[in-house]
Amino acid sequence: MLTYDLSERKGGPIYKFLYQKIKEEIIEGKIKPGERLPSKRALAEQMKVGVITVANAYDLLISEGYVRSEEKRGYFVQDLGSICINGGEPAAFKDELTEHKYLADFRANRMSLHMFPSTVWNRYMREALSLQADSLLETVPYKGLYKLRLAISEYLLQNRGIQVSPSQIIIGAGTEYLYSRLIQLFGRTCTFASEDPGYKKFEAISRGYGNPWEYIPIDDHGLIIDKLEQSDADVIHVSPSNHFPTGIIMPITRRKALLDWANKVKKRYIIEDDYDSEFRYSGQLILPMYAMDSNNKVIYMNTFSKTLVPSIRISYMVLPPALMERYEETMSFYSCTVSSFEQYALAKFISEKHFERHINHMRNYYKKQRKRILSSLKKVPLSEISDVYERGAGTHFLLKVHTRLTEEEIRRVAHEANLAVSLYSDYSDLVNAENQNTLVINYAAIQPERITEVLMRMSEIFPECRE
Amino acid sequence: MLTYDLSERKGGPIYKFLYQKIKEEIIEGKIKPGERLPSKRALAEQMKVGVITVANAYDLLISEGYVRSEEKRGYFVQDLGSICINGGEPAAFKDELTEHKYLADFRANRMSLHMFPSTVWNRYMREALSLQADSLLETVPYKGLYKLRLAISEYLLQNRGIQVSPSQIIIGAGTEYLYSRLIQLFGRTCTFASEDPGYKKFEAISRGYGNPWEYIPIDDHGLIIDKLEQSDADVIHVSPSNHFPTGIIMPITRRKALLDWANKVKKRYIIEDDYDSEFRYSGQLILPMYAMDSNNKVIYMNTFSKTLVPSIRISYMVLPPALMERYEETMSFYSCTVSSFEQYALAKFISEKHFERHINHMRNYYKKQRKRILSSLKKVPLSEISDVYERGAGTHFLLKVHTRLTEEEIRRVAHEANLAVSLYSDYSDLVNAENQNTLVINYAAIQPERITEVLMRMSEIFPECRE
């Protein structure tokens, strides 16, 4: 297997020949579903061809859905039974099928794509494209289109109760991009910190810049301020209105203590990530900390990738005036990373209240979905060996499973059962008996009519449910 | 002037009151065109209001075209005679008029917006929007849409003569973004270097990361390899096919020497920025260095922001396999920064040959424009005190002016004459008698029918032409 005679090749590039040969073996069943292909380097050496040639062949196989790539694990043959094989030319988007299609994907970054209000969105995009306005063709102002910043400031005032100037807002292609700008704004000696558990990408980005990093543990009321005081942190990243993944709302006293911490030292700042705050199903609106801050110590951030669709990369941050001045002086040479057409469409989408309506629509949908999944969960064997932790927010809950499986085994058997899961420990370095074997169940992308089937399948991966 | 009685305000936010008052004074001519407004902070103190309130008011004035903001200089009242004032609601895009409108803008980053093939582009954008394909709504693969990477690899093979795999390509929202990724890939101890004169933003980005930086001088054949050998540079940024702003083509011997430099030490790499290489009006196609590199030492980069429109932020880089492996291991957590819809549209635009046609169209246009401006230049007084340096490439030439004005005076009088100019020294730290008072004349955005008028105006700024 996987040694091919290059002399059989009748012209054309080697990678196409290689791709064709492997594809034939997959279709004929000579290479079985789930089988692991040799590494690019190994096959290249064996065939005496370049690594790029093999990479090209594998890319094509992945793009057509014959093979899937798994991070740090290698290349695996897909189960063709579960994929519609097209005899002729690849269908329009088959060449984008680079990810394994799971029966159900509970991972934290998933969302319901069919909720995207594409008709309205497309209308504004068409409008932007047809305007032929020089302002949409010229280099976009580095903070982003004024129209969009104005729409965001009005939205924030009406829906999050905070008053910010459009001149304080910076638009960027995703939150990660804005974190990069912030890290650079604070400089390389600044120690960043985040809640544990929490958003791990900030750590990766921060370490990429070589900045020192700390994690601060949380308790039932969120970030433990004493631990923060004991740390070297200069800038702390928090989600006080909806902590990820626990859903904890930081109470007012602790918010005040956090602001006090920041006010004590000039270089201290708080990054308030308001991600997911739109999805809260019970109780009153939780105001952002930004609203309480009278000393310009809070940077407010949010993204549209979670509330619209992940492929639209638009996030924003609100800087206090002193930081914005520093930004203007040192970083205005960075061009805005978001296309002007999408900024225009989003500005209209927000200012004509479609965004608000969409959020309400999503909130209702997710609320129902949450109810459905929690009630279905009670009826499957899994409920007997697990406890739900949830606080009526976000698109997920925590499920602590009492099992003799290790976390590694859970990941493996879930994957074998064609379920994509994430665990509390994916977001925490402080794993203990209490939070071990705790699944983060994001139900946003689960099809409602399949909930019971999927939860039954989930039950089956645990030996305790089968006994 | 500029003291207003806040008690006159009849409700509504203070910034709107302030904006209204200043606007009235401008319209009534109480504040004169060209007059400088007080700084935000000064006015805030005087009026006893917050800086943000003033910023809001100024932003509105800028957005409606009454005031312009000039980097590091302050806020100036616009000449309303040159702006169409709309009595009622601001026109659709007046709120984006944040930049001063010059009679002519010769700065290096300008281009001809009316050449953008919006009909075809919009067709593909509409197609992308109407597809409703999950692959365009899901998180985009971190390297970018496979379809686009494939189209770029085919374009590079056919038009730049280099063979790269789609798996070697990373798509990003602008070249600056990709430089950030590269700097992080090489790590904080890596010394970056660039040609002097050259692309200064790379220095700014690199210093932002805290990396050491060096400039390497050029001679008539481009980068001086001896100087590079004597430097501490690990990674050098070059534009061998079309050096900016001189248009120098690095000859083959020097390219070989540069590759030899890289091959001597494992950590050495060459970043080949192929920006503007599409615009060469005479002689044969200049192959990229990437084509000569048999040791995987060259990173190839290019952008679509210069060849399409600046507001479409799509650039790409081609990494040698070893670097791509490092990227995959350490940076695949960075989401792609470009919206999937635009990636899809660009993929179709390239693969259906519209990009190639557009480039040819632009090349012809710029070639004519070049001829027009060079021949008009001979007929104005400026020609008597200046020498043209040009090498049939890009959208600019160098104009050395023999004048008693200093560079600072040139900038000031040009600005007063409503001309935007850039100088050689904007791109070089090594200014000497030879390159002093050398204008970089980018003619891409100059309206053909106004060339003579504009060059006459340019002549008038130099006292030698008036004598």
Side-chain angles (χ1 to χ4, degrees):
Chain A
M1 192 216 82
L2 289 179
T3 15
Y4 307 108
D5 189 355
L6 284 178
S7 68
E8 282 179 28
R9 181 169 62 104
K10 306 177 192 71
I14 299 180
Y15 80 90
K16 281 222 168 149
F17 171 77
L18 205 55
Y19 143 78
Q20 194 59 43
K21 283 292 175 187
I22 300 175
K23 185 168 113 176
E24 281 168 16
E25 295 211 346
I26 293 173
I27 290 173
E28 289 163 24
K30 288 184 190 163
I31 320 180
K32 296 278 177 298
E35 204 168 315
R36 186 180 183 152
L37 295 180
S39 75
K40 287 180 278 188
R41 191 168 290 171
L43 186 56
E45 276 172 21
Q46 195 177 317
M47 300 277 302
K48 302 205 172 20
V49 297
V51 174
I52 294 182
T53 305
V54 179
N56 268 326
Y58 279 12
D59 264 348
L60 258 179
L61 289 164
I62 291 169
S63 73
E64 295 192 355
Y66 293 100
V67 167
R68 66 172 187 273
S69 159
E70 287 187 35
E71 223 179 308
K72 294 189 180 161
R73 297 191 63 222
Y75 297 89
F76 295 85
V77 175
Q78 286 281 35
D79 184 356
L80 297 186
S82 68
I83 295 169
C84 165
I85 293 292
N86 205 325
E89 277 300 290
F93 278 91
K94 239 170 69 190
D95 69 357
E96 284 304 326
L97 183 68
T98 50
E99 277 215 8
H100 180 65
K101 276 276 171 226
Y102 287 97
L103 171 69
D105 194 337
F106 290 103
R107 285 174 297 181
N109 61 348
R110 299 294 136 161
M111 60 181 292
S112 177
L113 298 180
H114 74 271
M115 302 288 291
F116 179 56
S118 42
T119 312
V120 183
W121 179 262
N122 295 355
R123 190 200 311 150
Y124 292 131
M125 278 299 290
R126 281 197 301 272
E127 187 178 311
L129 292 165
S130 66
L131 271 172
Q132 300 280 352
D134 274 4
S135 56
L136 291 187
L137 299 176
E138 281 282 6
T139 309
V140 184
Y142 68 95
K143 290 184 190 176
L145 226 54
Y146 181 79
K147 213 180 186 64
L148 175 57
R149 290 182 283 126
L150 185 66
I152 290 173
S153 73
E154 286 167 356
Y155 173 82
L156 287 176
L157 183 61
Q158 283 154 29
N159 295 274
R160 300 298 288 133
I162 58 179
Q163 181 153 23
V164 311
S165 156
S167 65
Q168 284 177 269
I169 298 176
I170 292 173
I171 309 288
T175 314
E176 296 157 20
Y177 176 76
L178 293 174
Y179 282 122
S180 298
R181 290 288 73 75
L182 273 184
I183 293 165
Q184 220 165 330
L185 188 66
F186 285 112
R188 66 197 292 181
T189 57
C190 175
T191 302
F192 291 96
S194 168
E195 298 155 307
D196 184 306
Y199 177 72
K200 298 277 259 183
K201 269 195 193 174
F202 190 23
E203 179 193 1
I205 300 167
S206 180
R207 289 199 189 278
Y209 274 85
N211 280 70
W213 178 266
E214 298 216 15
Y215 274 116
I216 314 294
I218 62 166
D219 62 18
D220 276 357
H221 297 106
L223 192 80
I224 304 173
I225 308 296
D226 283 349
K227 298 280 183 189
L228 178 63
E229 294 276 9
Q230 289 155 26
S231 79
D232 291 326
D234 300 312
V235 175
I236 176 84
H237 172 274
V238 286
S239 294
S241 301
N242 185 5
H243 175 262
F244 180 84
T246 64
I248 290 171
I249 303 168
M250 198 187 282
I252 191 92
T253 47
R254 194 152 304 182
R255 288 174 184 230
K256 233 199 124 296
L258 181 54
L259 284 169
D260 287 345
W261 167 85
N263 290 333
K264 263 181 230 165
V265 181
K266 189 158 181 278
K267 64 178 175 173
R268 287 184 182 168
Y269 280 94
I270 298 160
I271 301 173
E272 176 172 34
D273 187 353
D274 211 26
Y275 169 90
D276 237 10
S277 65
E278 296 83 2
F279 303 127
R280 176 155 292 285
Y281 311 109
S282 49
Q284 78 297 19
L285 172 84
I286 311 299
L287 274 186
M289 278 192 65
Y290 188 93
M292 290 177 63
D293 168 33
S294 48
N295 291 297
N296 293 318
K297 283 295 194 178
V298 177
I299 297 152
Y300 178 92
M301 299 188 88
N302 211 335
T303 179
F304 295 99
S305 302
K306 174 78 193 232
T307 39
L308 293 171
V309 277
S311 64
I312 293 176
R313 309 298 306 166
I314 312 183
S315 301
Y316 63 96
M317 61 182 175
V318 179
L319 294 183
L323 283 184
M324 184 51 104
E325 269 180 42
R326 203 194 296 173
Y327 191 98
E328 286 170 357
E329 276 163 26
T330 59
M331 285 200 280
S332 59
F333 70 88
Y334 277 104
S335 314
C336 183
T337 44
V338 183
S339 129
S340 57
F341 300 111
E342 294 203 332
Q343 292 194 52
Y344 176 88
L346 181 55
K348 292 278 275 192
F349 190 79
I350 297 170
S351 64
E352 301 195 359
K353 308 292 176 204
H354 293 289
F355 183 65
E356 216 175 306
R357 259 174 255 151
H358 172 60
I359 292 291
N360 290 335
H361 191 193
M362 297 273 281
R363 193 187 293 118
N364 286 335
Y365 175 81
Y366 285 146
K367 190 174 177 178
K368 275 194 206 127
Q369 173 85 341
R370 177 178 209 89
K371 209 173 145 187
R372 271 192 296 256
I373 196 162
L374 287 172
S375 88
S376 300
L377 181 61
K378 288 192 189 126
K379 296 172 198 149
V380 299
L382 181 56
S383 67
E384 289 160 29
I385 59 158
S386 63
D387 300 306
V388 169
Y389 294 90
E390 69 102 12
R391 299 179 185 241
T395 60
H396 61 270
F397 56 81
L398 299 180
L399 191 71
K400 162 85 181 174
V401 186
H402 306 283
T403 174
R404 58 175 178 266
L405 298 185
T406 62
E407 294 209 333
E408 201 166 322
E409 284 165 342
I410 294 178
R411 285 181 207 277
R412 186 175 49 77
V413 290
H415 182 79
E416 283 165 8
N418 215 11
L419 300 171
V421 297
S422 55
L423 285 158
Y424 186 98
S425 57
D426 292 336
Y427 309 101
S428 176
D429 283 352
L430 309 169
V431 175
N432 52 37
E434 207 180 314
N435 56 40
Q436 213 181 13
N437 292 353
T438 300
L439 295 164
V440 181
I441 302 282
N442 176 355
Y443 47 79
I446 309 298
Q447 290 165 272
E449 62 278 14
R450 302 190 73 176
I451 287 178
T452 306
E453 174 194 355
V454 160
L455 290 176
M456 281 304 293
R457 176 89 72 114
M458 181 86 93
S459 296
E460 284 160 16
I461 72 172
F462 295 101
E464 293 81 358
C465 295
R466 295 192 299 262
E467 280 158 8
Chain B
M1 192 217 82
L2 290 178
T3 13
Y4 308 109
D5 188 356
L6 284 178
S7 68
E8 281 179 29
R9 181 168 62 105
K10 306 178 191 70
I14 299 179
Y15 79 91
K16 280 221 168 147
F17 172 77
L18 205 55
Y19 143 78
Q20 194 60 43
K21 283 292 176 189
I22 300 174
K23 185 168 112 177
E24 280 167 16
E25 296 212 344
I26 294 173
I27 290 173
E28 289 162 26
K30 288 184 191 163
I31 320 180
K32 295 278 176 300
E35 204 168 314
R36 186 180 182 152
L37 295 180
S39 76
K40 286 179 279 186
R41 190 167 292 168
L43 186 56
E45 275 171 21
Q46 195 179 315
M47 299 277 301
K48 302 207 172 20
V49 297
V51 175
I52 293 183
T53 304
V54 179
N56 268 326
Y58 279 13
D59 264 347
L60 258 179
L61 289 164
I62 292 169
S63 73
E64 295 191 356
Y66 294 99
V67 168
R68 67 171 185 273
S69 159
E70 286 186 35
E71 222 177 310
K72 295 190 181 158
R73 298 191 62 223
Y75 297 90
F76 295 86
V77 175
Q78 286 281 37
D79 184 355
L80 296 186
S82 68
I83 295 169
C84 166
I85 292 294
N86 205 325
E89 276 302 288
F93 277 91
K94 238 169 68 188
D95 70 355
E96 284 304 326
L97 182 69
T98 50
E99 276 215 8
H100 180 66
K101 276 277 171 225
Y102 287 97
L103 171 69
D105 194 337
F106 291 103
R107 285 174 296 180
N109 61 349
R110 300 293 136 162
M111 59 180 292
S112 176
L113 298 179
H114 73 272
M115 303 287 290
F116 178 56
S118 42
T119 312
V120 182
W121 180 262
N122 294 354
R123 191 199 312 150
Y124 292 132
M125 277 299 290
R126 281 197 301 271
E127 187 179 311
L129 291 165
S130 65
L131 271 171
Q132 300 279 352
D134 275 5
S135 56
L136 291 187
L137 299 177
E138 281 281 7
T139 309
V140 184
Y142 68 95
K143 290 184 190 177
L145 226 55
Y146 182 80
K147 212 180 188 65
L148 175 57
R149 290 182 284 125
L150 186 65
I152 290 173
S153 73
E154 285 167 356
Y155 174 82
L156 287 175
L157 184 61
Q158 283 154 29
N159 295 274
R160 300 299 288 135
I162 58 178
Q163 182 154 23
V164 312
S165 156
S167 64
Q168 285 177 268
I169 298 176
I170 292 174
I171 309 289
T175 314
E176 296 157 20
Y177 176 76
L178 294 175
Y179 282 123
S180 298
R181 291 286 74 74
L182 273 183
I183 292 165
Q184 220 165 330
L185 189 65
F186 285 112
R188 68 197 290 183
T189 58
C190 175
T191 303
F192 291 96
S194 167
E195 298 154 306
D196 183 306
Y199 178 73
K200 298 277 260 183
K201 268 195 194 174
F202 189 24
E203 180 193 1
I205 300 167
S206 181
R207 289 199 189 279
Y209 274 86
N211 281 71
W213 177 266
E214 297 216 15
Y215 273 116
I216 314 292
I218 62 166
D219 62 18
D220 276 357
H221 297 107
L223 193 80
I224 304 173
I225 307 296
D226 283 350
K227 299 280 184 190
L228 178 62
E229 294 276 8
Q230 289 154 27
S231 78
D232 291 327
D234 299 312
V235 175
I236 176 84
H237 173 274
V238 287
S239 296
S241 301
N242 184 4
H243 175 262
F244 181 84
T246 64
I248 291 170
I249 304 168
M250 198 188 282
I252 190 93
T253 46
R254 193 153 303 183
R255 288 173 184 231
K256 232 200 124 293
L258 182 53
L259 284 169
D260 287 346
W261 167 85
N263 289 333
K264 265 181 228 164
V265 180
K266 190 160 180 278
K267 65 178 176 173
R268 288 185 182 167
Y269 279 94
I270 298 160
I271 301 173
E272 176 172 35
D273 187 353
D274 211 24
Y275 169 89
D276 236 11
S277 65
E278 295 83 2
F279 303 127
R280 177 155 291 286
Y281 312 108
S282 49
Q284 79 297 18
L285 173 84
I286 311 299
L287 275 185
M289 280 192 64
Y290 188 94
M292 292 178 60
D293 168 32
S294 48
N295 290 298
N296 293 317
K297 283 294 195 178
V298 177
I299 296 152
Y300 177 92
M301 298 189 89
N302 211 335
T303 179
F304 294 99
S305 303
K306 175 77 193 232
T307 40
L308 293 171
V309 277
S311 63
I312 294 176
R313 310 296 307 164
I314 312 183
S315 301
Y316 63 96
M317 61 181 175
V318 179
L319 294 183
L323 283 184
M324 185 50 106
E325 269 180 42
R326 204 194 294 171
Y327 191 98
E328 287 169 356
E329 277 163 25
T330 59
M331 283 200 281
S332 59
F333 69 87
Y334 278 103
S335 313
C336 183
T337 43
V338 183
S339 129
S340 57
F341 300 111
E342 295 204 330
Q343 292 194 52
Y344 176 88
L346 181 56
K348 293 278 274 192
F349 190 79
I350 298 170
S351 64
E352 300 194 0
K353 306 293 176 202
H354 292 289
F355 183 65
E356 216 175 307
R357 258 174 255 152
H358 172 60
I359 292 290
N360 290 335
H361 190 194
M362 298 273 280
R363 194 188 292 120
N364 286 334
Y365 175 82
Y366 285 146
K367 191 176 176 176
K368 274 193 208 127
Q369 173 85 340
R370 178 178 209 89
K371 211 173 144 187
R372 269 193 296 256
I373 196 162
L374 287 172
S375 89
S376 300
L377 182 60
K378 288 193 189 125
K379 297 173 199 148
V380 300
L382 181 56
S383 67
E384 288 160 32
I385 60 157
S386 63
D387 300 305
V388 169
Y389 294 90
E390 69 103 11
R391 300 180 184 241
T395 59
H396 61 269
F397 56 82
L398 300 180
L399 190 71
K400 163 85 182 174
V401 186
H402 306 283
T403 175
R404 57 175 177 265
L405 298 184
T406 64
E407 294 208 333
E408 202 167 321
E409 285 165 343
I410 294 178
R411 286 181 208 276
R412 187 175 48 76
V413 289
H415 181 78
E416 283 164 8
N418 214 12
L419 300 171
V421 297
S422 57
L423 285 158
Y424 185 98
S425 57
D426 292 335
Y427 309 101
S428 176
D429 284 352
L430 309 168
V431 175
N432 53 37
E434 207 180 315
N435 56 40
Q436 212 182 13
N437 292 353
T438 299
L439 295 163
V440 180
I441 303 281
N442 177 356
Y443 46 80
I446 309 298
Q447 291 165 272
E449 62 278 14
R450 302 191 73 176
I451 287 178
T452 306
E453 174 193 355
V454 159
L455 290 176
M456 280 303 295
R457 176 89 72 114
M458 180 86 93
S459 295
E460 285 160 16
I461 72 172
F462 296 100
E464 293 81 0
C465 295
R466 295 192 299 262
E467 279 157 10

